[in-house]
Amino acid sequence: MSRTIVHADLDAFFAAVEQMDRPELRGTPVVVGGAPAARGVVAAASYEARRFGVRSAMAMSRALRLCPKAVRVSPRFDRYAEVSRRVMATFRSVTPLVEPLSLDEAFLDVTEQVERYGGPEALARQLKAEVKGNAGLTVSIGVASNKTVAKIASDMGKPDGLIIVPIGREAGFLEPLPVRALWGIGPKAEAALAVAGIHTVGQLAGADPSALERPFGSRGGIFRRMAQGLDERPLETEHRRQSVGAETTFPNDLADGPELCAQLGRIAAGVARRLTRGRVKARTVALKLRYSDFRTITRQTSRADPTDDADEIRGRAESLLAKVVSPGDRFRLLGINCSGLEEDGKEEQLRLWQR
């Protein structure tokens, strides 16, 4: 039985929430992110700002040079999470099979619901109307028989788009697109494919499997199947968080000393709070350092007993820092990431059973 998969992606989500909450910003270029003086980066840009070349992850200083009339807004992640919960509830009112990918996008398997709504287009338009009514935001939607094609369709329709790829036409829809349109194909894979004379998805779909296996191994077969419009992956409706972390970019480079240690303690405390709220503990603590010359390193340590204690996390991070820091080093970014997560109480339960 063919599936009907929806990929729903809120348009310029963070910026759109700011424009919704502050009507005076509607129709004006808005960039969400840290201040230029603090080496902030763009977390989101409204479509009015994107016309000037502003993009996510761009340095805020460059974004404001490209678009001097842009209004910079500091991010309000609690507010974005609140709106996201409302949108995800709207999705789940249509189908219980929802796979959130982030705060602003999700896959929906509507195979069982589509006929009740009168077909895929009617369902998608109803979904767009409900998101607009419940959250005040526009959403771009792609509908196809699998996740790969639905995701590409929604990307192509932005903003406020709706593209439906009929069953059996997946390969033809993908054929003219550049290979970078496919998930998992980044700049390096794109360059390797170009060496083989493969530039479009259609060329990749018809490539010799052995030619793809040499540079990509088993991934070559996956790329080829995706290019042919084939993707059997089910929706993952329950995601287990893999890590919890936080990092800070400093307004001015810091040397090793009390101020850097104070920042380390503050970050450790924040990570510990998030672990506690999530009712998980971590076995592995990783330290991330970016030097003044932009060189970035990570170091990590793991222990048998998981923790969510701020002092313990700080102690492990300080131990890692002491092993790498040298006189004269200056740092522009510091971060802590905790992984190897398990539910709080699980270790105690295991010990009870082992007695």
Side-chain angles (χ1 to χ4, degrees):
M1 178 181 176
S2 297
R3 297 183 298 164
T4 302
I5 304 297
V6 167
H7 181 263
D9 193 355
L10 294 163
D11 299 317
F13 179 49
F14 294 173
V17 172
E18 298 299 339
Q19 289 176 317
M20 176 177 65
D21 289 352
R22 295 173 57 183
E24 72 273 15
L25 297 180
R26 295 173 188 172
T28 65
V30 173
V31 287
V32 178
R39 295 172 175 170
V41 298
V42 176
S46 70
Y47 282 93
E48 295 87 355
R50 294 184 190 189
R51 296 190 190 106
F52 293 84
V54 177
R55 294 290 183 269
S56 298
M58 177 181 288
M60 185 61 73
S61 56
R62 181 169 181 236
L64 295 180
R65 286 196 300 271
L66 289 171
C67 186
K69 294 185 179 180
V71 178
R72 185 193 68 81
V73 180
S74 295
R76 299 180 296 151
F77 293 110
D78 288 346
R79 173 60 174 154
Y80 307 147
E82 175 191 349
V83 176
S84 175
R85 286 191 293 271
R86 197 182 310 161
V87 172
M88 295 300 165
T90 299
F91 293 163
R92 292 188 177 95
S93 72
V94 175
T95 173
L97 301 179
V98 177
E99 178 184 347
L101 300 176
S102 61
L103 289 176
D104 59 349
E105 65 175 318
F107 284 115
L108 293 74
D109 188 329
V110 296
T111 306
E112 300 296 327
Q113 293 79 22
V114 67
E115 290 306 319
R116 186 168 75 243
Y117 279 83
E121 182 175 350
L123 184 149
R125 293 197 181 281
Q126 179 68 24
L127 193 61
K128 287 169 69 69
E130 291 187 7
V131 170
K132 185 69 172 177
N134 294 338
L137 300 173
T138 63
V139 60
S140 291
I141 288 180
V143 185
S145 63
N146 62 64
K147 294 164 76 171
T148 292
V149 181
K151 172 74 166 71
I152 292 173
S154 73
D155 288 344
M156 290 178 63
K158 281 187 160 293
D160 198 18
L162 170 56
I163 293 180
I164 299 172
V165 181
I167 295 171
R169 299 185 186 176
E170 296 88 352
F173 170 75
L174 297 173
E175 184 178 9
L177 302 179
V179 291
R180 280 289 296 276
L182 296 177
W183 271 351
I185 298 185
K188 291 183 179 178
E190 181 183 34
L193 289 168
V195 170
I198 298 172
H199 303 279
T200 68
V201 176
Q203 290 170 334
L204 178 56
D208 182 347
S210 62
L212 297 175
E213 187 174 351
R214 283 192 294 273
F216 300 114
S218 61
R219 284 197 307 155
I222 296 173
F223 290 159
R224 187 170 182 268
R225 286 185 60 79
M226 290 172 62
Q228 293 170 340
L230 303 174
D231 178 6
E232 296 85 14
R233 291 176 300 157
L235 267 65
E236 299 178 18
T237 56
E238 293 186 7
H239 281 285
R240 184 177 177 182
R241 178 174 286 180
Q242 301 299 312
S243 65
V244 173
E247 61 185 42
T248 296
T249 300
F250 308 126
N252 300 296
D253 296 340
L254 296 183
D256 184 29
E259 190 175 356
L260 188 68
C261 287
Q263 292 284 353
L264 194 68
R266 182 184 61 79
I267 295 170
V271 172
R273 283 194 299 271
R274 292 178 60 192
L275 288 168
T276 302
R277 284 201 303 266
R279 298 180 181 179
V280 292
K281 293 184 177 182
R283 294 182 181 277
T284 299
V285 174
L287 177 72
K288 178 179 177 180
L289 289 167
R290 180 165 297 148
Y291 291 79
S292 56
D293 62 359
F294 288 88
R295 180 168 57 96
T296 303
I297 65 169
T298 58
R299 298 292 186 270
Q300 69 179 43
T301 180
S302 298
R303 297 188 184 179
D305 294 330
T307 185
D308 62 355
D309 181 76
D311 290 337
E312 174 71 14
I313 294 169
R314 175 178 180 163
R316 295 190 197 183
E318 286 180 342
S319 177
L320 293 168
L321 177 64
K323 292 177 181 178
V324 297
V325 72
S326 299
D329 285 345
R330 299 187 68 82
F331 303 98
R332 61 185 290 118
L333 178 146
L334 179 67
I336 295 174
N337 189 69
C338 290
S339 59
L341 305 184
E342 64 178 44
E343 294 179 7
D344 191 10
K346 182 177 179 182
E347 185 71 18
E348 287 78 0
Q349 293 169 9
L350 288 173
R351 287 173 180 166
L352 285 171
W353 283 106
Q354 289 169 355
R355 288 178 180 175

